Amino acid sequence: MKKVIYCALLTLLVLSLLILSGCSAFMSQKQPQIVTTYPEETAPSQVIKIEDSWVMLHNTYGSQDYTISVSKSLDSADSIYSVNDVSIWYFEANEKGIVWCEESLEFYTYKVYVFETQKVETIFQVAVDKGYQPQNIGIYLNTVYYCSIHYDQQEVQVIAYDITTKTTTYVNEVEFHEEKQPYSINLEDAYLSFVCSDQIKVLNLQNNEVVFDSALPNTVEYVYGVSYDSKNDICALYYADNDSEDIGTLKEGENDIISVFTFSQNHYAYQDKIECYDGHIYWIAQANVSGAVTDHYTLIDYNYLKHKVVETDRSFGFYREDNDLYVLRFNKDGDYTHIDLCQY
């Protein structure tokens, strides 16, 4: 699986050089406003803003040691949880809790930190030797959502866990097919997307209505990431066909994906993360090539309505809150000892 290959590259942090191929749109540089600057040893690797608080995931360069902190000030970090010898790919939060998945040599473990009780709970755990598991996880109101593959029963389930009642329900179940992997979910606001290589389904959790349901073209071999733009009723996909990896858009009821970006060899969307919102698709362009660390990650903001691209260089992480975009960025060329948290 692609995630397994990426884990071997994770210790290199973000060694990438942006090479755009197959995208003819005009490109410009964006210089966001610096909110604060961190020394590398205390800088967050991911950041989420919740009302007047900041939730941060810290990961020291080259290690598999993680710390989660919550603070009302960007200048201080109050640690609530630490763990060693794991990988954490997905990390989400709202005013009720923080959720993540830990992959160790032995287990995939899905956890939640509940703000009300100030305790960490294990939601679900499965042995790694049982087979690959999607690590996507999200939280909406009091409910945690994740995707699990049950190899013995040959089922894939989207599972909801209520942190208040400690009860589990099944949101979606499909028959497992090896060739359709990777199965995954993506939770954005109230919209829960489920995707594999031949299907996308988006559920509005406010009313439990399916707002997007589409079969994918037979040319699609893998879908690594999906994001639903509710304002334009369009899904963006990070996918692979028989000759390349692309980012594209799909309207419900249409048969073809419109490719807006094609990755060159050894170039990827970092952590398979894309976000489609209000006519824009955001991702971090990563290249596993030689060269200075700081040159190798670039935030791409692609306006698919106007076919324009804006780059924010040296960027390895982003988080959107409504119309505000927060960016984690290397402080300057050739130097990763300081990290800027920026806003634009």
Side-chain angles (χ1 to χ4, degrees), residues 84-138:
N84 303 321
D85 300 323
V86 301
S87 294
I88 298 177
W89 288 85
Y90 298 101
F91 168 78
E92 297 293 342
N94 68 2
E95 67 279 2
K96 300 297 183 180
I98 308 166
V99 295
W100 66 95
C101 177
E102 298 172 3
E103 181 186 4
S104 67
L105 293 177
E106 295 83 19
F107 297 104
Y108 296 99
T109 306
Y110 301 79
K111 294 185 176 182
V112 57
Y113 174 83
V114 182
F115 282 117
E116 184 177 6
T117 63
Q118 297 184 357
K119 293 182 178 179
V120 174
E121 302 176 13
T122 294
I123 300 170
F124 176 71
Q125 186 178 72
V126 60
V128 169
D129 61 14
K130 294 289 186 181
Y132 171 80
Q133 290 291 332
Q135 299 173 48
N136 315 73
I137 191 167

Side-chain angles (χ1 to χ4, degrees), residues 227-236 276-280 304:
S227 182
Y228 176 64
D229 186 347
S230 60
K231 293 189 176 184
N232 293 283
D233 194 28
I234 283 179
C235 274
C276 190
Y277 177 76
D278 196 18
H280 294 252
Y304 67 83

Side-chain angles (χ1 to χ4, degrees), residues 251-279:
K251 291 183 178 180
E252 188 176 22
E254 295 192 356
N255 296 323
D256 295 325
I257 300 172
I258 299 175
S259 175
V260 300
F261 182 94
T262 298
F263 289 91
S264 302
Q265 187 177 10
N266 296 325
H267 293 71
Y268 312 99
Y270 181 52
Q271 294 185 332
D272 294 350
K273 179 180 178 179
I274 62 171
E275 182 161 356
C276 190
Y277 177 76
D278 196 18

Side-chain angles (χ1 to χ4, degrees), residues 154-226:
Q154 292 291 286
E155 287 182 341
V156 181
Q157 298 174 335
V158 178
I159 301 171
Y161 174 81
D162 190 307
I163 63 176
T164 303
T165 63
K166 317 292 186 191
T167 55
T168 296
T169 56
Y170 300 104
V171 179
N172 192 28
E173 292 182 274
V174 298
E175 186 177 352
F176 172 72
H177 294 279
E178 183 78 30
E179 67 276 9
K180 294 182 181 180
Q181 291 199 76
Y183 294 85
S184 65
I185 64 165
N186 189 24
L187 179 57
E188 301 165 297
D189 300 321
Y191 295 96
L192 177 67
S193 303
F194 172 78
V195 64
C196 56
S197 64
D198 70 347
Q199 179 192 22
I200 299 176
K201 183 178 289 187
V202 181
L203 178 68
N204 185 342
L205 296 174
Q206 292 179 320
N207 53 24
N208 289 321
E209 290 185 0
V210 175
V211 295
F212 193 100
D213 191 357
S214 184
L216 296 178
N218 292 331
T219 54
V220 174
E221 296 182 350
Y222 296 98
V223 178
Y224 303 118
V226 63

